[in-house]
Amino acid sequence: MIEVSHLVKRHGHRTVVDDVSFTALPGRVTGLLGPNGAGKSSTLRILLGLDRATSGVATIDGSPYRSLSRPLLSVGAMLGGPGAHAGRTARAHLTWVAQSNAIPERRVDEVLEYTGLRDAARRRIGGFSLGMGQRLGIAAALLGDPRVLVLDEPTNGLDPDGIRWTRRLLRSLADEGKVVLVSSHLMTEREDTADDFVVIARGRVVASGAAADVTGSHRTLEDAFFALTDEGADFRSTGPDGGTR
Amino acid sequence: MTGIALVRSELTKSVTSRPALILALVAILGTWVMAWTNAASAVGIAPDDPRLFAAEPIPLEYQGFEMAGFGYVLVVALAALSAGSEYGAGQQIRVTLLATPQRPRVFFVKVLLLATTVAGVGFLTMAGTVVITHAAGSTGVDPLELTPAIWANIGGVALAWTFTALIAFALGSLARSAILPLILITPLVVGVGDFVTGFWDGARYLPIAAGAALYSDPAAGLLAPLAGGLVQAAWALVLLVIAGIVFNRRDP
């Protein structure tokens, strides 16, 4: 289980995460949703030990990420793309990641097969499409067959086939009893996949719960999303009458 | 277990990085080739031969060491790359720290591997270079039986290159880029340090000039070998400690 409790992150005077609390449960896909700049990635970076919180705690199965000695066996994560050096092949990238946690190297072939990258295993990552890069990031996250998956915008840049593949993957991982926390700035993207939602805007949680809880009196989940996050968006287009849309 | 796993992982990163491999190989093989062409054409020439610019002969135990400059530049690039490649467009540092969130351990293993690699590259480069120099030129030194003084100088190059690489790594880690160490260290390595030493005594304490004392003719006016080595080691240690603390505390 992922537990985030009263998390605060400040950069100077700017508060990017403001008292964020939520949980993500086993067997369920939890969507962390909000516009660009809402604080989703910052929250995930703190959860995964990359950034330090100003205050508050974030734990995975009761432990802070930084205390895990072979973290990839319990948590698989992808943050902002695969995090791979362009000059390396996909296999070489996955090999060093596997070795770092003493994961058997046969897992490299298994995740390459699983994510459809087997034929690209010996290609340099610099030549990968955006979608292939996302698949590589997911492959690395799955190396340790972890109980918990944390994926930041995994469908960014994917073609429709890739989006459908990712949706099915997230569903099947949750159905295996894993905790799946996935962020997106598109409500429609997660609407069909997520069981629980945490909507975040301007660093604060503005709604959370199952679809019905978040939808409330709004017509659709998407309407609720825009109503809840309207003030928290970085950019809004304006209509001919000058009104926002 | 996790320590060994981390060493294996970082080793795989190094050997699957094409630029790092190329730099190491070119440092070794390129210097050997240059030593061969240089020695075959000039080493046996009499010291008062008008074809030489200097009438003062280079002492035997320092012959061949003028070749160190080429590999030195490549080793600086290798170290800069070792630090900077984590922070390039792919932001590999995220995955590195997701895989091993114990940052001091990551930093230590990186430093250890770089030091071992550069010491090995430095030793191979200079041992081969000196052997080639004495084999190709009629110097009077048996290339298969180098004197202790020559071996000490070969060790000195390996040590100086290692300390310099660690300084470049520390700067690259602090700047999160390979550019800063390349800008700061490369000029010192290619002779700016020697130039400054010519008119300012204090320049002998600059990291590269201090390290050069480990393998240079005392006539060059540098620090004593031991003092030079200690000064350069101190530079490396201080910069590594600062870089290590920052690496541990900073949000990547």
Side-chain angles (χ1 to χ4, degrees):
Chain A
M1 181 170 78
I2 292 172
E3 277 186 290
V4 173
S5 178
H6 301 293
L7 212 58
V8 175
K9 176 70 177 178
R10 291 195 190 94
H11 294 299
H13 295 297
R14 200 163 57 91
T15 303
V16 292
V17 178
D18 190 0
D19 197 29
V20 165
S21 299
F22 65 87
T23 57
L25 299 170
R28 298 179 76 81
V29 177
T30 302
L32 182 62
L33 306 166
N36 290 330
K40 307 181 298 292
S41 294
S42 295
T43 301
L44 296 184
R45 287 172 65 90
I46 295 167
L47 172 68
L48 297 168
L50 292 176
D51 291 359
R52 286 177 195 274
T54 305
S55 63
V57 279
T59 58
I60 294 168
D61 289 339
S63 304
Y65 190 89
R66 284 197 188 200
S67 71
L68 304 172
S69 69
R70 292 166 69 194
L72 303 187
L73 300 186
S74 40
V75 186
M78 177 175 72
L79 279 176
H85 196 283
R88 215 166 262 130
T89 65
R91 178 185 297 282
H93 172 71
L94 293 171
T95 299
W96 78 253
V97 177
Q99 286 172 339
S100 69
N101 278 236
I103 294 166
E105 285 176 37
R106 64 177 160 73
R107 278 293 293 164
V108 170
D109 289 318
E110 288 173 10
V111 296
L112 281 167
E113 178 80 39
Y114 190 69
T115 52
L117 288 175
R118 192 186 59 185
D119 293 338
R122 295 188 188 284
R123 278 175 55 185
R124 297 200 180 273
I125 295 159
F128 275 23
S129 68
L130 207 53
M132 288 167 79
Q134 296 290 67
R135 284 175 188 251
L136 179 64
I138 292 173
L142 296 174
L143 270 174
D145 192 20
R147 300 184 302 275
V148 176
L149 263 297
V150 179
L151 305 173
D152 186 21
E153 309 266 8
T155 49
N156 254 7
L158 291 186
D159 57 19
D161 181 55
I163 291 171
R164 192 171 61 163
W165 175 83
T166 309
R167 281 182 188 161
R168 287 179 179 168
L169 172 74
L170 298 178
R171 187 71 265 152
S172 70
L173 293 169
D175 290 344
E176 289 172 27
K178 297 180 191 295
V179 178
V180 181
L181 176 61
V182 55
S183 79
S184 179
H185 61 278
L186 299 170
M187 175 59 99
T188 47
E189 188 47 54
R190 292 281 80 84
E191 197 170 354
D192 298 336
T193 326
D195 305 300
D196 299 314
F197 300 86
V198 179
V199 184
I200 189 167
R202 289 195 172 176
R204 299 187 70 92
V205 173
V206 291
S208 63
D213 302 326
V214 174
T215 306
S217 59
H218 297 279
R219 198 168 55 85
T220 64
L221 201 54
E222 189 176 26
D223 286 348
F225 174 77
F226 282 119
L228 290 163
T229 62
D230 201 26
E231 301 224 329
D234 280 352
F235 305 101
R236 283 275 182 262
S237 58
T238 53
D241 58 354
T244 58
R245 43 175 70 188
Chain B
M1 173 73 171
T2 49
I4 294 167
L6 183 55
V7 171
R8 278 191 72 199
S9 162
E10 288 293 329
L11 207 55
T12 299
K13 261 189 207 171
S14 301
V15 299
T16 57
S17 162
R18 198 182 275 180
L21 276 182
I22 290 172
L23 286 170
L25 282 175
V26 172
I28 296 169
L29 300 178
T31 311
W32 287 358
V33 170
M34 287 198 302
W36 176 265
T37 54
N38 186 58
S41 63
V43 165
I45 295 174
D48 57 350
D49 192 294
R51 284 175 292 169
L52 291 179
F53 292 110
E56 287 291 321
I58 301 170
L60 280 177
E61 62 268 33
Y62 297 105
Q63 284 192 10
F65 287 89
E66 68 276 14
M67 292 290 120
F70 174 70
Y72 211 169
V73 175
L74 299 179
V75 158
V76 170
L78 179 71
L81 204 67
S82 165
S85 64
E86 289 281 347
Y87 299 96
Q91 284 291 300
Q92 182 179 272
I93 188 70
R94 283 195 312 257
V95 179
T96 298
L97 295 180
L98 285 175
T100 313
Q102 294 75 22
R103 296 187 189 187
R105 191 180 295 172
V106 173
F107 192 80
F108 178 75
V109 167
K110 280 182 176 294
V111 166
L112 189 74
L113 278 181
L114 178 66
T116 310
T117 304
V118 172
V121 169
F123 182 81
L124 280 176
T125 303
M126 285 325 293
T129 297
V130 172
V131 166
I132 289 167
T133 298
H134 292 297
S138 312
T139 62
V141 173
D142 181 350
L144 299 178
E145 284 188 40
L146 300 177
T147 65
I150 294 177
W151 281 118
N153 285 335
I154 292 171
V157 170
L159 215 53
W161 281 20
T162 304
F163 290 144
T164 300
L166 295 179
I167 289 167
F169 176 84
L171 292 173
S173 179
L174 281 168
R176 293 187 273 198
S177 158
I179 304 295
L180 183 74
L182 286 175
I183 290 174
L184 289 182
I185 305 295
T186 311
L188 295 176
V189 166
V190 298
V192 172
D194 296 346
F195 174 69
V196 178
T197 315
F199 58 84
W200 177 46
D201 254 11
R204 295 180 305 162
Y205 293 90
L206 289 174
I208 312 306
L214 285 165
Y215 57 88
S216 298
D217 187 349
L222 299 169
L223 296 173
L226 180 64
L230 289 173
V231 168
Q232 201 193 19
W235 274 100
L237 187 67
V238 168
L239 286 169
L240 280 176
V241 167
I242 295 169
I245 291 170
V246 171
F247 182 78
N248 191 37
R249 292 189 178 171
R250 182 168 58 189
D251 295 343

